[in-house]
Amino acid sequence: MTTLPELAARRCYGVVNPIHSAIYFSPDFGEELAELGLEDSAAGYFIGRAAPLGRVCAGTVTATFFNFNHELIARHIPAAWDVVSPEAALEARLRAADSVLRRVLGEEVIASKEVAEAAELALRATEACTRQARPLYAAHADLPVPDTPHLALWHAATLLREHRGDGHLMTLVGAGLDPVEALASHTATGQGMSTKWILRTRGFSAEEWEAGRQRLRDRGVLTADNELTEAGERLRKDLEAETDRLDAAPYEHLGAEGVARLTELATALSTTARENGAFPADLRSKD
C-alpha cells in the first residue's frame, strides 16, 4: 500500500526529469563531442545515453531506447565508438551537463543550499531503485556520483529518469504497442512530443507515422481525427498507472514529506530552466 498522496510520485518525477533532460536540447554536448572529433552531431544522443552500457551494438541501443527507428541508430552505432569511446563520452556528457545547468539555472542558483538539498533528496530516493530488468538504469547506477551538488542532482535525476523509463517500456510491450504506436498515442494525449519533433528525431518517415496511427485507429485507440477514443484514453491512463506502480519504490523510500519537498525544490528549478530557454517552445503539441 502506498503511503503517498495520489499521483505525488508522478508529479515529483515530472519536475525532476527536466533537470536531466535539458541536456538533450542544448548544443553543449554536441560541441563537446565535436572537440573529440565526432563530426556527426546526430550521433550525440545515442552516444550519450548509451555510453554507460559500454561499447554496445546498434541492436542493444534499439532494444533499450525502444522508440527509435533501428536503421537510424545503425547509421551511428557502433561506428561512433571508433571516434569517441564510451568513457570519453561520459566525461564529455558531464562537462555538458555542467555548462547547461550553469546557463539555464544561473551561478547563484547552482551554488544555493536549495540545489544541495534537492540533490540529497533525489539521491536518497535512488537508494530504492532496482537494477533487475532495467538495463539503462542499471548501467547508469554503476557510474560514480559527481562531487558538486548540481551535478549530483543531475546524476540523481538521470537515475530516476532511466528507472521510470525502463519500467514504462515494460508497460508498452505488455500493452502490445510498437514504437510508432506508443509515440502516436502519447502525442494524442497532448503530453507527448509533437509530430514535428518525432519525425525530426526518431527516424520514422511520415508514411510510417501515418501507418502507425492507422493501426491505432483500427484498434479503436484513435478517432479518424487522431484524437484518443474513450478506449484510447483508458489505455494511456492504465499505462501511466502501471508505470507509477513499477516506479513507486524510490518515492516510497523518500516518504511523503521528502517527496513533497523535492517536488517543491525541483519545480522551482525546472521552471527557471524552462524560462531560460532550456526547451523548445514547440516540443509538445497535440496534433
Side-chain angles (χ1 to χ4, degrees), residues 23 26-34 44-45 47-49 89 92-93 96:
I23 193 174
S26 74
D28 302 57
F29 186 48
E31 291 170 358
E32 289 284 350
L33 294 175
Y45 180 86
I47 287 178
R49 200 165 164 225
R93 188 176 70 156

Side-chain angles (χ1 to χ4, degrees), residues 59-155:
T60 299
V61 177
T62 300
T64 53
F65 285 26
F66 183 79
N67 59 8
F68 287 82
N69 189 322
H70 176 69
E71 292 179 0
L72 171 63
I73 294 170
R75 286 204 291 269
H76 306 297
I77 301 293
W81 299 131
D82 292 334
V83 183
V84 180
S85 70
E87 294 79 11
L90 289 172
E91 293 173 358
R93 188 176 70 156
L94 200 58
R95 291 193 298 270
D98 178 56
S99 60
V100 170
L101 291 180
R102 289 183 185 279
R103 184 172 62 253
V104 301
L105 296 180
E107 295 292 341
E108 184 176 348
V109 172
I110 288 293
S112 69
K113 66 181 188 305
E114 286 79 11
V115 164
E117 182 184 1
E120 188 277 329
L121 289 168
L123 286 170
R124 191 190 312 165
T126 67
E127 294 171 353
C129 294
T130 56
R131 286 178 169 82
Q132 289 76 13
R134 289 182 165 92
L136 274 175
Y137 163 76
H140 281 81
D142 285 344
L143 300 177
V145 178
D147 293 330
T148 55
H150 68 291
L151 291 179
L153 174 59
W154 182 83
H155 174 75

Side-chain angles (χ1 to χ4, degrees), residues 72 195-204 280 282:
L72 171 63
T195 295
K196 170 186 172 181
W197 272 91
I198 288 171
L199 295 181
R200 178 185 297 180
T201 62
R202 264 45 183 177
F204 297 108
D282 60 351

